[in-house]
Amino acid sequence: MTEAKLVINENPNKKTKPDPDNLKFGKLFTDHMFTMEYSREKGWFQPQIVPYAPVSLEPASMIFHYGQSVFEGLKAYRDENNDVLLFRPDENLKRLNRSNGRLSIPPINEELVMDYLKQLISLEKDWIPQAEGTSLYIRPFIIATEPSLSVAPSNNYTFFIILSPVGSYYPEGIHPVSIMVEEHFTRAVRGGMGTAKTGGNYSAGYNAQEYAANQGHAQVMWLDGVEKKYIEEVGSMNVFFKIDGQVITPELNDSILQGVTRKSIIQLLADWDIQVIERKISMKEVYQAYEAGTLEEAFGAGTAAVVSPIGELIWKDESMIINGRQTGELTKSLYTTLTGIQTGKIPDPFEWTVQVK
Amino acid sequence: MTEAKLVINENPNKKTKPDPDNLKFGKLFTDHMFTMEYSREKGWFQPQIVPYAPVSLEPASMIFHYGQSVFEGLKAYRDENNDVLLFRPDENLKRLNRSNGRLSIPPINEELVMDYLKQLISLEKDWIPQAEGTSLYIRPFIIATEPSLSVAPSNNYTFFIILSPVGSYYPEGIHPVSIMVEEHFTRAVRGGMGTAKTGGNYSAGYNAQEYAANQGHAQVMWLDGVEKKYIEEVGSMNVFFKIDGQVITPELNDSILQGVTRKSIIQLLADWDIQVIERKISMKEVYQAYEAGTLEEAFGAGTAAVVSPIGELIWKDESMIINGRQTGELTKSLYTTLTGIQTGKIPDPFEWTVQVK
Ligand SMILES: Cc1ncc(COP(=O)(O)O)c(C=O)c1O
Ligand SMILES: Cc1ncc(COP(=O)(O)O)c(C=O)c1O
């Protein structure tokens, strides 16, 4: 590691801030970004904050050919005292390094990057929207930049952090969606890249996603790649079920992404004396619970939506309506508590939030 | 499709051609490249040949985040009359469109692109090296360019064709390599992206490839993702076995890439009255053949190497030496015939080669 001191090159041409009531997701970026380079000789070097601007890359750069890239996603909130809060950013940097390992990308120094991230957020503080449900979305990512067509890990990388003010995931309030269980396409399999946040896992799902959207469903539910029996994730979220009073979530394996929201929900429920059972759960079991009238709630969990209630589940020719298409009590409590902690509205007994000075 | 006429913007600063005896693979590019844009409103538009130069992209461009990209690889040769030959380029463009379909990328017009490709090759004719085993490697690829962090197909794409003069795959003559059967990692699975030439499939293999290289092996042999029993590919090649006089290759499924070399070998062998059996073949079966002394030859097949003999196969704790680490007779004949046809040294009864005027 030869990281030098962070150089800040301030943008003289500041953009006007967007209308906080009309924010979309990830279309608009702030005035600055963080970048850092990697070479085999120097390690990670040249950390800097520079104006957000296009990057220039040779067409032969490996990122365009062999998909060697990883990313993260987390959010910054502004609380009522105008202080800036990050939600468990250490977890995201840890996961970034796990993703790096799976993609043969050299690890970053988590402590240093945490410091760079805080300096970037601090500089862009005014970009953090304050309206209910809005936040500043933080996207760290690493791409392979060596110009070479060899099918092998790149010798050069660039690490970026870009920031986007985003609107509420639920402009009309939290509401359940319809989810289609995907029987044909596979997101990830044992021995694959499913535990890594890497590009290929996402575009792999587009065919299925487009098909589901055409059928009028919001997202797909992914089954395991081996037996096409066990539930893995929903869209780009982890998934929870409440069946006959018990909360169940698929146990982690090497094809499920280890969500920070998932982990936080498990801890939060433990605090409420509700045990979450982490185990394999098949679609058949969910269907049987539905038939028995014990499928009480189901929801996705991830940074973007925080908690996303499932109102309908389509499996083969069956449609299962969950909790009369209403957001369940537990789902609602989790959403309120998590967003409350994230935005500093309620106390944070877990010390999950990190204040940016 | 609103493609206009191809615009050619000639490079005034021509590079000096490299030493043909010291060519590497995919490190050096010619003076020009082809590019074409896509938007939802216009379809594919603005086909042009321009100087090979860096591209400028917003850091939010989807290619950097969600892996939506496809590519192809084929070669141009110069024959003894100084004519330029392409090997089955129609097959590559067909496959590019199949890859596009899997990645939710809009299809290209194969006929038009074939014409553009020929014009590019014709302009760069002097870049095609002529020494034994050398060629001009052609890399068409498409990347998602819309600046957006939505997990959804991009609304904009750029299609590139870049060209790289490449050295012989076998500077010291064709020779067998050692291959490790991969038991843990998975390249692709049923319902995944294995039949598409898309970035994620390649970086997915880096961990396994690095491990094999550290153990002194040239590449890994991929097993199916479901049972980890059946042979799929070797490195980035299809694979053939000669067992007890019979030629066997894994039958195509939705996790094996449909190689042009594989297809050509099957046709060539049929012409020689040797039937290729396309069926599932397990590692256990290969090992039993080895023990019985009937594992006669094994080789990989792909554009880069054409044919790559396997001299040793490592499976769990077993090492199988194939044909005394010598290139087998059939492997050698296939290599000589295929490269002979590709370079115009021997007649092409199949009309595989396409001359560029
Ligand atoms: C595939 C996938 N699963 C689950 C999640 C949820 O993870 P987190 O709660 O850390 O956002 C994400 C990321 O948002 C994801 O991309
Ligand atoms: C994964 C994979 N398998 C097989 C092949 C062989 O295909 P082809 O003979 O068309 O080069 C390739 C490409 O070269 C490949 O990338």
Side-chain angles (χ1 to χ4, degrees):
Chain A
M1 292 280 175
T2 60
E3 287 105 338
K5 212 178 130 15
L6 180 69
V7 170
I8 300 180
N9 169 4
E10 226 179 298
N11 193 337
N13 305 308
K14 303 267 193 315
K15 302 177 219 177
T16 30
K17 308 281 183 298
D19 174 0
D21 295 327
N22 274 313
L23 291 169
K24 303 218 170 61
F25 181 80
K27 304 283 180 197
L28 187 88
F29 299 87
T30 67
D31 294 315
H32 299 90
M33 63 182 179
F34 169 80
T35 66
M36 181 163 70
E37 303 298 322
Y38 178 90
S39 75
R40 294 275 169 222
E41 307 75 46
K42 297 196 202 172
W44 288 106
F45 68 101
Q46 205 174 307
Q48 50 185 359
I49 290 174
V50 293
Y52 178 88
V55 284
S56 173
L57 287 170
E58 269 209 52
S61 297
M62 285 173 148
I63 178 61
F64 299 138
H65 303 272
Y66 305 127
Q68 204 190 6
S69 67
V70 294
F71 69 96
E72 268 304 326
L74 66 161
K75 287 175 172 177
Y77 302 88
R78 252 204 289 179
D79 70 11
E80 278 146 12
N81 309 321
N82 214 10
D83 284 332
V84 178
L85 299 176
L86 299 176
F87 187 70
R88 310 189 82 173
D90 47 315
E91 292 286 337
N92 293 90
L93 297 185
K94 252 193 259 174
R95 186 169 63 191
L96 187 63
N97 264 341
R98 288 200 304 270
S99 299
N100 280 339
R102 183 60 187 88
L103 271 294
S104 297
I105 295 175
I108 54 155
N109 180 323
E110 293 166 30
E111 252 170 86
L112 282 175
V113 169
M114 182 68 81
D115 180 54
Y116 302 147
L117 170 62
K118 286 181 183 171
Q119 294 196 52
L120 177 66
I121 300 293
S122 171
L123 184 68
E124 299 292 65
K125 183 176 172 179
D126 293 346
W127 277 94
I128 309 176
Q130 243 173 330
E132 176 76 31
T134 64
S135 62
L136 186 70
Y137 183 78
I138 304 169
R139 169 55 57 90
F141 65 103
I142 301 176
I143 58 171
T145 54
E146 185 186 351
S148 164
L149 301 184
S150 300
V151 181
S154 179
N155 286 309
N156 300 90
Y157 301 88
T158 303
F159 179 7
F160 296 84
I161 304 175
I162 60 176
L163 307 174
S164 175
V166 299
S168 175
Y169 198 88
Y170 298 111
E172 279 112 43
I174 185 168
H175 62 90
V177 294
S178 171
I179 298 289
M180 207 191 87
V181 179
E182 177 56 48
E183 292 279 316
H184 173 67
F185 292 111
T186 307
R187 189 193 87 92
V189 72
R190 177 179 63 180
M193 309 190 290
T195 56
K197 257 182 112 73
T198 181
N201 289 340
Y202 296 81
S203 46
Y206 288 171
N207 275 184
Q209 203 174 304
E210 289 192 310
Y211 182 80
N214 284 336
Q215 307 284 310
H217 309 298
Q219 262 301 348
V220 298
M221 183 168 285
W222 297 109
L223 301 180
D224 76 283
V226 173
E227 301 182 63
K228 286 286 179 196
K229 250 170 86 174
Y230 298 103
I231 295 163
E232 302 227 304
E233 305 201 30
V234 54
S236 298
M237 289 185 276
N238 296 112
V239 63
F240 288 78
F241 298 91
K242 185 161 165 262
I243 295 177
D244 204 12
Q246 282 196 327
V247 184
I248 304 167
T249 191
E251 69 187 5
L252 296 177
N253 61 24
D254 84 339
S255 51
I256 292 179
L257 192 87
Q258 304 185 17
V260 179
T261 316
R262 175 187 182 280
K263 183 174 178 174
S264 305
I265 285 173
I266 293 171
Q267 292 175 258
L268 191 56
L269 288 175
D271 193 57
W272 293 352
D273 277 332
I274 300 174
Q275 196 207 340
V276 176
I277 303 163
E278 300 180 65
R279 64 165 168 85
K280 282 181 156 192
I281 175 165
S282 69
M283 253 326 288
K284 194 164 157 202
E285 178 181 346
V286 169
Y287 182 68
Q288 284 169 346
Y290 168 75
E291 286 223 294
T294 56
L295 177 55
E296 295 156 3
E297 302 186 31
F299 58 91
T303 295
V306 184
V307 160
S308 174
I310 300 172
E312 182 182 19
L313 205 49
I314 308 292
W315 184 44
K316 306 189 192 218
D317 293 330
E318 307 292 343
S319 155
M320 303 166 228
I321 305 295
I322 303 174
N323 196 39
R325 284 188 207 270
Q326 298 301 112
T327 303
E329 279 313 310
L330 185 72
T331 308
K332 210 178 297 174
S333 305
L334 285 168
Y335 181 74
T336 311
T337 308
L338 276 173
T339 54
I341 292 174
Q342 288 168 338
T343 55
K345 284 201 194 83
I346 64 174
D348 170 19
F350 308 99
E351 299 185 22
W352 284 337
T353 53
V354 171
Q355 203 175 309
V356 178
K357 293 282 152 19
Chain B
M1 291 281 175
T2 60
E3 286 105 339
K5 212 179 128 22
L6 180 69
V7 170
I8 300 180
N9 170 3
E10 226 179 297
N11 193 336
N13 304 308
K14 304 265 192 317
K15 301 177 221 177
T16 31
K17 307 281 183 297
D19 173 0
D21 295 327
N22 274 312
L23 291 170
K24 304 217 169 63
F25 180 81
K27 303 282 181 199
L28 187 87
F29 299 87
T30 67
D31 294 315
H32 300 89
M33 63 181 178
F34 169 80
T35 66
M36 181 163 70
E37 303 298 322
Y38 178 90
S39 73
R40 295 272 169 223
E41 307 74 48
K42 297 195 200 173
W44 287 107
F45 69 100
Q46 203 173 305
Q48 51 185 357
I49 291 175
V50 292
Y52 177 88
V55 284
S56 173
L57 286 170
E58 268 209 53
S61 297
M62 284 173 147
I63 178 61
F64 298 138
H65 303 272
Y66 305 126
Q68 206 190 5
S69 68
V70 295
F71 68 96
E72 271 302 328
L74 66 161
K75 286 175 172 177
Y77 302 88
R78 252 203 289 181
D79 71 10
E80 278 146 10
N81 308 322
N82 215 9
D83 284 332
V84 178
L85 298 176
L86 299 176
F87 186 70
R88 312 190 80 174
D90 47 316
E91 292 284 340
N92 293 90
L93 296 186
K94 252 192 260 173
R95 187 169 62 191
L96 187 63
N97 265 341
R98 288 200 304 270
S99 299
N100 280 339
R102 183 62 187 86
L103 272 293
S104 298
I105 295 174
I108 54 155
N109 180 322
E110 293 168 28
E111 252 170 85
L112 282 175
V113 169
M114 182 69 81
D115 180 55
Y116 302 146
L117 170 63
K118 286 181 180 168
Q119 293 195 54
L120 177 66
I121 301 293
S122 171
L123 183 68
E124 300 292 65
K125 183 175 170 179
D126 293 346
W127 277 94
I128 309 176
Q130 242 173 332
E132 176 76 29
T134 65
S135 61
L136 186 69
Y137 183 77
I138 304 169
R139 168 57 55 93
F141 64 104
I142 300 177
I143 58 171
T145 54
E146 185 187 351
S148 164
L149 301 184
S150 300
V151 181
S154 180
N155 287 308
N156 300 90
Y157 301 88
T158 304
F159 179 8
F160 295 84
I161 305 176
I162 60 176
L163 307 174
S164 174
V166 299
S168 175
Y169 197 88
Y170 298 111
E172 279 111 43
I174 185 168
H175 62 91
V177 293
S178 172
I179 298 289
M180 206 191 86
V181 179
E182 178 56 47
E183 293 279 316
H184 172 67
F185 291 111
T186 307
R187 189 192 87 91
V189 71
R190 176 179 64 180
M193 310 190 291
T195 56
K197 257 182 113 73
T198 181
N201 290 338
Y202 296 81
S203 46
Y206 288 171
N207 275 185
Q209 204 174 304
E210 289 192 310
Y211 182 80
N214 283 337
Q215 307 285 309
H217 310 298
Q219 262 301 348
V220 299
M221 182 167 287
W222 297 109
L223 301 180
D224 77 282
V226 173
E227 302 184 62
K228 287 283 178 196
K229 250 170 87 172
Y230 298 103
I231 295 164
E232 301 227 306
E233 306 201 31
V234 55
S236 298
M237 290 186 277
N238 297 112
V239 62
F240 288 79
F241 297 91
K242 184 160 166 260
I243 295 176
D244 205 12
Q246 282 196 330
V247 183
I248 304 167
T249 191
E251 68 186 5
L252 296 176
N253 60 23
D254 84 340
S255 51
I256 292 177
L257 192 88
Q258 304 186 16
V260 179
T261 316
R262 175 187 182 280
K263 182 174 179 174
S264 306
I265 285 172
I266 293 171
Q267 290 174 260
L268 191 57
L269 287 175
D271 193 57
W272 293 352
D273 277 332
I274 300 174
Q275 198 208 336
V276 176
I277 303 163
E278 298 179 67
R279 64 165 168 85
K280 280 180 156 194
I281 176 166
S282 68
M283 253 326 290
K284 194 166 159 199
E285 178 181 347
V286 169
Y287 181 68
Q288 284 168 345
Y290 169 75
E291 286 222 295
T294 55
L295 177 56
E296 295 156 4
E297 300 186 32
F299 58 91
T303 295
V306 184
V307 160
S308 174
I310 299 171
E312 182 182 19
L313 205 48
I314 308 293
W315 184 45
K316 304 189 192 219
D317 293 329
E318 307 291 343
S319 156
M320 305 167 226
I321 304 296
I322 303 174
N323 197 39
R325 284 189 207 268
Q326 298 301 113
T327 304
E329 279 314 310
L330 186 73
T331 308
K332 211 178 294 171
S333 305
L334 285 169
Y335 180 75
T336 312
T337 309
L338 275 174
T339 54
I341 291 173
Q342 288 168 337
T343 55
K345 286 202 192 82
I346 65 175
D348 170 18
F350 309 97
E351 300 186 23
W352 284 337
T353 53
V354 171
Q355 204 175 307
V356 178
K357 292 281 150 19

